[in-house]
Amino acid sequence: MLAEVTLTLFGLGVGEPAASWGNLLAPLRHPATAANCLQLAAPLPLLALLVLSCELLSRDRARQ
């Protein structure tokens, strides 16, 4: 998941018409856009929550 976001932000991931985390966060590459449009940062906490949830679930399964 994080690899897809990173590759898309660098322009090597999923193309523009497809919906993906990287395409949602792509406008944040430009500091001026990020400072003026805070609603573009809305996917960031959702992505962090999703990654944290997956990490906690994988740790729980590793203990069993």
Side-chain angles (χ1 to χ4, degrees), residues 25-38:
L25 297 172
L28 296 177
R29 285 186 286 198
H30 308 289
T33 305
N36 293 331
C37 300
L38 292 178

Side-chain angles (χ1 to χ4, degrees), residues 38-58:
L38 292 178
Q39 70 267 21
L40 292 176
L44 283 175
L46 297 173
L47 179 63
L49 182 64
L50 183 65
V51 170
L52 180 64
S53 299
C54 290
E55 178 67 25
L56 291 175
L57 286 173
S58 67

